[in-house]
Amino acid sequence: MPYKSKRRCKFQGCPVLVEAGEGYCPQHKSAKFPARRSGEKSHYNRRWQKIRAVYLSKQPLCADCEKAGKLKPATEVHHIISIADGGSDSHENLMGLCKSCHSRRTAKETGFGNQI
């Protein structure tokens, strides 16, 4: 029975071959998806969904697009100071963004922005 051929790691510029069905090599898999510490719960639960809905109802436009003179609806809520860095869910630490602006900001902040 033939096997599927190996493919390159999905991380841009990585030459390592991985088995079919795997997306990233071990080095980039751990960098892209850091493991939670045991017992640590996800921050994005039902409580967060309520906070997000309230925030988007009060701030319905993308903040970055608005600065650029465009009117685009905000579909995602961004933490200005991330939860991992000690930020909170207070409205002063949140920003409504459209999908593309949120992806751009997140890529820059996580270090993956230099490849975009």
Side-chain angles (χ1 to χ4, degrees):
M1 178 167 206
Y3 293 98
K4 288 187 176 182
S5 61
K6 291 186 176 186
R7 299 175 183 185
R8 288 182 60 183
C9 172
K10 289 183 181 180
F11 192 85
Q12 187 173 6
C14 180
V16 176
L17 296 176
V18 295
E19 296 293 330
E22 291 290 320
Y24 297 91
C25 66
Q27 176 188 358
H28 293 118
K29 187 173 190 176
S30 62
K32 188 149 177 83
F33 309 106
R36 287 192 196 126
R37 293 181 285 258
S38 65
E40 185 178 349
K41 293 183 179 179
S42 173
H43 174 75
Y44 301 103
N45 51 24
R46 198 173 295 174
R47 181 182 153 276
W48 165 250
Q49 293 301 323
K50 288 179 185 177
I51 293 168
R52 179 186 175 280
V54 168
Y55 187 84
L56 288 175
S57 69
K58 292 180 180 180
Q59 302 290 330
L61 297 177
C62 173
D64 286 352
C65 289
E66 212 171 2
K67 285 180 188 174
K70 302 175 196 170
L71 294 178
K72 198 168 179 185
T75 57
E76 303 191 14
V77 177
H78 177 72
H79 285 92
I80 298 167
I81 300 172
S82 72
I83 297 297
D85 293 334
S88 69
D89 287 334
S90 66
H91 284 256
E92 295 80 29
N93 190 42
L94 300 177
M95 172 185 292
L97 298 172
C98 64
K99 175 72 174 156
S100 59
C101 289
H102 188 248
S103 295
R104 189 176 309 114
R105 274 185 180 262
T106 303
K108 284 180 184 175
E109 291 172 6
T110 58
F112 289 101
N114 56 4
Q115 288 124 19
I116 295 176

